[in-house]
Amino acid sequence: MSFGPPPSMHTQPTQSAPAVDPSRDRRRRRVLGAVAAVVAAVVCLGAGLIWYHSAGQTHGRTGAKAVQQAPDAVRETLEKAPVSPEGEVVVKHNEGGLTGKQQRFAPATWATGKIVARALADRIEAYKTEPHPDSDAKAWTLRLGGHVCAVSRDVTADGRTAVVVEPGHTDSPQAGACDEVVMVDLDTGKKLWQRKTPAGEDASILGTNISLTRGVVAIAWDEGSVAYDMHSSRLLWKTSATSQCHDSAYAGGQALLALVKCGDPGDPTYRVEKLEPRTGRALWRYSVSNGLRSIYLPSADPPVIAVEAGDYRVTDLLTLDPKSGERLATISMNGYDPKCGSDVGAFFDAVDTCYGMVVGRDRVFVMSKDTDDLTRKPENQITAFDLRKGTAVGKFVGRLFQQVVPVRMNGDDLIVFRSTMDDVQPAAVVDWNPRTDKETPYLLFRLPEDEHELGDPEQSDILYEQGQVFFARRLLARDDVHPKNPVLSVIGVGTAGLEH
């Protein structure tokens, strides 16, 4: 069964970034509104202290057990509550050398428990996150010999990831072909291997993506695709756009999905395929209806498709059976904001990324749109939907001036970032069990003043890994008011308590 409205004038698929969301300006205005509502905020803080003393007695998640993963599997770490939720800065890096109207792209951030690393222009740079370090202690820098033009946000269980670069072009992300893939050990900064993709001379930053699944690195661009063995860099399979249909993008993790484009490039049709990673053989196919503006693959296992039906926003989520590819449910996104699409100034393909949603084993968690009531209602909420039925089965509600953002799964629990827009309430990272509705505080902290965009998932990466939370801007630009000052690139917070 296919999905979608009858074809309309809006049938040209695009991965372009939508117009600037007016909700960003609305959130900035709320900072001023918070001053007028400080009394209400104090009441919320009192409630927050009660929440801490009650929920803080729950250490970790009932019945949760860590799963032993193969070294080349995409990492799935299981977090536990720290001894103390009081947070302290473990890393803070300011990026200098920005001149004129130059912008420096930082499309990916990775953390391993030992370091936090960033893809920055033509290099990957890592900073130490050890307890009580120099907050800007650089661990290593890996020069890539070209501008980064595609990234995987996944990390293997043994700390590896991969990027695609434009060899010989370091000054602009549009200078040449994105035709070399680099495998990196994030703990050491060692380049494990580098390969030139076959027939990749037409690959560009506007249509290239890279994904990891167990033992396999898969890259797709407008004119073809290729897969390599993660350990040896051996070519496993490839496709080209000379056929009627070709793989245009991948989503990885615990499985590998392909977004397949067919027919006229000006008016293509699409289908989603689950692939056998080492051969590229399709295990099942799901045909997506015509008339859609854009299609995203926010999860490969379980398979979830996000579609834009006639608008520059995701209108529906489609959930599929992981074994057969049969459609299970359609979930309307009316009133929700999954934040899918291009993430850095319309560059960097983001077919596999939705910053306002997280997919779990049997549930998908989606941010609601922000409220328009500045003084009476919580900023927003996160709704949990059953993947098989498509029905809402739980809600995690924000507070006044405190937006909640889904960060990642923690087993069957959800790790949530609760931002703050005033000087009274602290920001927080909490673990939410949607089955019992219990929340456990992991970290309480404050981000630097006038840096509220760090907590905006549309502008910054938000990661939680092994007891530490990181906020990292994806686009760095000079401050016109203070043009000589370096720009905050990444900040990380860990527990101020003793080690477990």
Side-chain angles (χ1 to χ4, degrees):
M1 179 180 293
S2 63
F3 169 84
S8 69
M9 68 176 64
H10 304 294
T11 57
Q12 178 66 30
T14 178
Q15 300 300 334
S16 298
V20 175
D21 188 347
S23 66
R24 293 184 186 176
D25 293 330
R26 205 161 58 238
R27 287 197 290 270
R28 293 188 182 99
R29 291 198 301 271
R30 288 191 185 122
V31 178
L32 300 177
V35 176
V38 66
V39 174
V42 171
V43 172
C44 288
L45 178 58
L49 293 175
I50 296 172
W51 155 75
Y52 162 64
H53 285 299
S54 61
Q57 297 173 9
T58 303
H59 298 287
R61 294 157 42 253
T62 303
K65 294 182 180 180
V67 177
Q68 185 68 32
Q69 289 188 282
D72 60 355
V74 171
R75 178 184 64 189
E76 289 187 328
T77 51
L78 189 63
E79 304 286 346
K80 57 183 178 179
V83 172
S84 168
E86 180 185 355
E88 68 174 359
V89 173
V90 296
V91 64
K92 184 179 181 182
H93 174 69
N94 295 300
E95 184 74 4
L98 293 165
T99 59
K101 294 185 178 180
Q102 176 189 12
Q103 294 178 328
R104 192 164 296 166
F105 296 100
T109 308
W110 308 276
T112 68
K114 297 179 181 179
I115 58 93
V116 58
R118 304 218 67 198
L120 285 164
D122 63 339
R123 67 189 188 276
I124 300 176
E125 201 164 86
Y127 318 100
K128 296 178 181 178
T129 62
E130 298 171 354
H132 309 290
D134 171 1
S135 62
D136 196 5
K138 193 176 295 184
W140 51 262
T141 299
L142 176 63
R143 297 284 176 179
L144 297 169
H147 206 288
V148 175
C149 55
V151 294
S152 170
R153 292 165 181 82
D154 287 325
V155 177
T156 64
D158 61 357
R160 290 174 286 167
T161 195
V163 299
V164 178
V165 301
E166 295 172 299
H169 297 280
T170 61
D171 57 345
S172 167
Q174 289 184 293
C178 298
D179 62 354
E180 292 196 6
V181 58
V182 181
M183 194 78 187
V184 181
D185 184 318
L186 289 172
D187 282 328
T188 66
K190 181 180 178 181
K191 182 190 296 184
L192 300 175
W193 51 262
Q194 183 166 350
R195 289 288 301 270
K196 185 177 179 64
T197 57
E201 60 274 4
D202 293 322
S204 76
I205 192 173
L206 298 176
T208 301
N209 90 320
I210 180 171
S211 294
L212 308 183
T213 190
R214 180 172 176 177
V216 175
V217 180
I219 304 108
W221 62 96
D222 287 338
E223 300 298 324
S225 62
V226 64
Y228 296 100
D229 179 87
M230 191 181 288
H231 177 70
S232 67
S233 78
R234 179 172 60 88
L235 179 68
L236 296 176
W237 47 267
K238 61 181 180 178
T239 69
S240 75
T242 56
S243 58
Q244 177 69 12
C245 299
H246 71 280
D247 299 353
S248 64
Y250 295 116
Q254 305 311 311
L256 186 63
L257 289 189
L259 181 61
V260 182
K261 182 188 294 187
C262 299
D264 183 357
D267 187 18
T269 60
Y270 289 92
R271 66 174 183 256
V272 174
E273 296 182 352
K274 182 176 182 178
L275 304 184
E276 201 293 312
R278 301 197 69 82
T279 65
R281 179 175 62 89
L283 301 176
W284 50 251
R285 294 182 172 91
Y286 176 83
S287 294
V288 185
S289 174
N290 299 336
L292 301 178
R293 183 177 292 276
S294 290
I295 302 168
Y296 307 97
L297 304 177
S299 175
D301 185 26
V304 176
I305 306 172
V307 300
E308 294 180 356
D311 199 356
Y312 280 109
R313 66 178 186 86
V314 170
T315 53
D316 298 272
L317 302 181
L318 313 179
T319 66
L320 309 182
D321 185 293
K323 294 182 178 180
S324 66
E326 178 183 0
R327 183 160 62 93
L328 299 174
T330 300
I331 304 172
S332 171
M333 288 291 97
N334 184 30
Y336 294 93
D337 191 9
K339 302 185 186 299
C340 303
S342 186
D343 54 348
V344 188
F347 297 133
F348 302 97
D349 196 34
V351 169
D352 60 345
T353 303
C354 294
Y355 295 103
M357 63 178 282
V358 172
V359 180
R361 177 178 58 86
D362 57 3
R363 286 168 167 77
V364 56
F365 302 85
V366 191
M367 290 177 65
S368 71
K369 293 181 178 179
D370 292 345
T371 181
D372 289 322
D373 189 328
L374 299 180
T375 58
R376 296 192 185 103
K377 294 182 180 179
E379 181 91 0
N380 73 326
Q381 65 186 27
I382 298 169
T383 300
F385 295 94
D386 184 284
L387 287 175
R388 299 198 70 86
K389 299 177 181 179
T391 55
V393 291
K395 291 182 180 180
F396 186 89
V397 181
R399 300 174 179 171
L400 291 174
F401 312 110
Q402 288 197 292
Q403 184 186 64
V404 287
V405 179
V407 176
R408 71 169 178 87
M409 297 306 299
N410 189 28
D412 285 334
D413 288 9
L414 181 70
I415 292 179
V416 177
F417 167 60
R418 194 198 311 268
S419 68
T420 185
M421 298 293 283
D422 58 53
D423 295 327
V424 179
Q425 306 172 94
V429 172
V430 304
D431 176 277
W432 176 48
N433 184 325
R435 288 161 175 78
T436 64
D437 202 31
K438 289 184 179 180
E439 55 182 288
T440 302
Y442 276 11
L443 290 173
L444 302 173
F445 56 94
R446 294 192 182 280
L447 292 174
E449 293 183 9
D450 301 323
E451 299 286 357
H452 296 291
E453 67 272 18
L454 286 173
D456 182 350
E458 289 182 295
Q459 301 184 63
S460 300
D461 289 331
I462 305 174
L463 282 73
Y464 188 86
E465 183 63 32
Q466 298 187 42
Q468 299 174 330
V469 63
F470 302 95
F471 303 87
R473 285 194 180 99
R474 300 187 199 102
L475 184 63
L476 305 177
R478 187 187 70 166
D479 185 339
D480 291 335
V481 178
H482 305 285
K484 294 184 179 180
N485 289 358
V487 175
L488 180 60
S489 172
V490 59
I491 186 168
V493 176
T495 179
L498 298 175
E499 293 293 307
H500 286 74

